[in-house]
């Protein structure tokens, strides 16, 4: 009889333990009145497993009752919640994040002191805020959760390639703008004979040259100028 009671006690204890550690999928959405919610890091601090929100702010993460979940991003204040049964009962759990001042540019208080998010030791100070195209590519490659078929569907539909091409295009455009600031428009018009109305078109023409990326990184103005001169001759000849 004593043996049977002990066995029953062990079974009850095992069932209670199993109930307490039951793993469920918590689905939710990050919302904010002021900031883009893509790329928010969602970490289950109890299991040390995490995920990142999609471009619409959705997330899905395995949790158990009483797990601690941390939400963090460079543009938001960190937020921590403890998983309750009420939270698990929600079909979609909404998490509102407040804007933080970490996104502000560096501030100089005087001629000697430079204050940055990093110098203040703020969380995620070293995290790079990605451009929109890169954030969309990240979301396309990762989906809303680790079981999502979105990455495969985006690859098959061509969306992944489209986003990669957009990132390359944005990079080239940024390089083109930076290069143009190194020479005033009058130099393009007078020295290269490029009409002022066609300077943008000429820069786009230069971007398609395989050497363009290296030229924009070259600090030798003579090398850069020789490249522009060569391209201007071809541009005016064929355009």
């Amino acid at each position: 009889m004593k043996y049977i009671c002990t066995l029953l006690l062990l079974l009850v204890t095992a069932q209670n333990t199993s109930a307490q550690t039951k793993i469920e999928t918590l689905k939710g959405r990050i919302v904010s009145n002021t900031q883009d919610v893509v790329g928010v890091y969602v970490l289950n601090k109890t299991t040390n497993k995490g995920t990142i929100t999609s471009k619409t702010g959705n997330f899905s993460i395995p949790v158990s009752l009483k797990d601690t979940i941390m939400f963090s991003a460079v543009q938001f204040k960190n937020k921590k919640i403890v998983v309750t049964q009420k939270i698990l009962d929600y079909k979609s759990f909404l998490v509102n994040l407040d804007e933080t001042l970490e996104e502000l540019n560096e501030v100089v208080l005087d001629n000697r002191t430079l204050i940055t998010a990093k110098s203040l030791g703020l969380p995620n100070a070293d995290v790079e805020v990605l451009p929109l195209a890169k954030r969309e590519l990240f979301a396309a490659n990762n989906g809303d959760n680790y079981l999502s078929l979105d990455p495969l569907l985006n690859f098959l539909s061509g969306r992944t390639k489209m986003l990669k091409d957009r990132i390359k295009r944005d990079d080239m455009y940024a390089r083109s703008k930076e290069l143009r600031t190194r020479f005033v428009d009058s130099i393009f018009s007078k020295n290269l004979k490029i009409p002022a109305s066609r300077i943008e078109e000429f820069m786009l023409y230069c971007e398609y040259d395989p050497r363009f990326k290296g030229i924009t990184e070259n600090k030798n103005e003579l090398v850069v100028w020789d490249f522009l001169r060569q391209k201007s001759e071809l541009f005016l000849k064929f355009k």
Side-chain angles (χ1 to χ4, degrees):
M1 184 67 181
K2 182 177 180 181
Y3 173 77
I4 295 176
C5 290
T6 303
L7 182 59
L8 289 174
L9 179 61
L10 290 174
L11 288 174
V12 171
T13 303
Q15 288 178 347
N16 289 336
T17 302
S18 176
Q20 290 175 355
T21 59
K22 180 182 177 182
I23 298 176
E24 300 187 45
T25 300
L26 175 64
K27 294 183 178 181
R29 183 181 180 188
I30 305 293
V31 294
S32 171
N33 295 326
T34 58
Q35 294 282 343
D36 195 350
V37 292
V38 64
V40 175
Y41 188 47
V42 184
L43 173 67
N44 185 331
K45 298 194 70 175
T46 306
T47 63
N48 203 33
K49 294 181 180 180
T51 185
I52 295 180
T53 57
S54 68
K55 62 181 179 180
T56 55
N58 292 314
F59 68 89
S60 179
I61 188 170
V63 300
S64 297
L65 195 63
K66 298 183 180 180
D67 280 357
T68 299
I69 310 299
M70 170 75 81
F71 303 88
S72 62
V74 68
Q75 69 270 35
F76 295 115
K77 294 179 181 177
N78 289 352
K79 187 165 187 174
K80 204 185 292 184
I81 66 165
V82 176
V83 178
T84 63
Q85 187 57 52
K86 185 176 181 180
I87 289 177
L88 291 175
D89 290 340
Y90 287 130
K91 291 183 178 180
S92 181
F93 180 55
L94 292 181
V95 181
N96 185 63
L97 295 184
D98 297 321
E99 184 181 9
T100 183
L101 297 179
E102 293 170 37
E103 195 180 27
L104 294 177
N105 293 327
E106 298 175 343
V107 178
V108 179
L109 297 183
D110 54 42
N111 292 331
R112 301 177 302 280
T113 307
L114 182 63
I115 302 298
T116 66
K118 185 175 181 179
S119 67
L120 292 174
L122 296 175
N124 301 319
D126 293 323
V127 176
E128 176 188 3
V129 179
L130 298 177
L132 178 59
K134 289 187 177 181
R135 283 179 280 168
E136 289 182 342
L137 178 61
F138 181 88
N141 285 334
N142 291 273
D144 288 348
N145 60 73
Y146 64 97
L147 295 177
S148 175
L149 292 176
D150 286 352
L152 178 60
L153 295 176
N154 286 323
F155 175 79
L156 294 176
S157 67
R159 175 173 169 77
T160 300
K161 182 179 183 302
M162 180 271 291
L163 290 172
K164 288 182 177 179
D165 290 341
R166 184 192 298 175
I167 290 173
K168 290 181 181 178
R169 175 78 216 116
D170 289 347
D171 177 65
M172 283 298 181
Y173 180 66
R175 291 176 181 275
S176 181
K177 286 180 61 179
E178 190 279 330
L179 181 59
R180 187 172 173 182
T181 61
R182 294 163 70 172
F183 303 95
V184 295
D185 286 357
S186 60
I187 291 181
F188 286 93
S189 300
K190 294 180 180 179
N191 297 74
L192 298 180
K193 309 302 181 184
I194 305 294
S197 61
R198 301 189 66 191
I199 295 178
E200 288 287 348
E201 182 186 356
F202 171 64
M203 294 307 300
L204 179 61
Y205 176 73
C206 291
E207 291 174 22
Y208 284 98
D209 192 299
R211 299 171 295 167
F212 183 76
K213 183 177 180 180
I215 288 295
T216 61
E217 297 171 350
N218 198 309
K219 302 303 180 182
N220 189 324
E221 297 297 335
L222 293 178
V223 173
V224 177
W225 180 252
D226 188 56
F227 169 81
L228 293 175
R229 181 186 57 78
Q230 293 177 34
K231 298 303 294 183
S232 66
E233 293 175 357
L234 293 172
F235 177 79
L236 293 173
K237 181 178 180 180
F238 296 107
K239 295 289 183 176

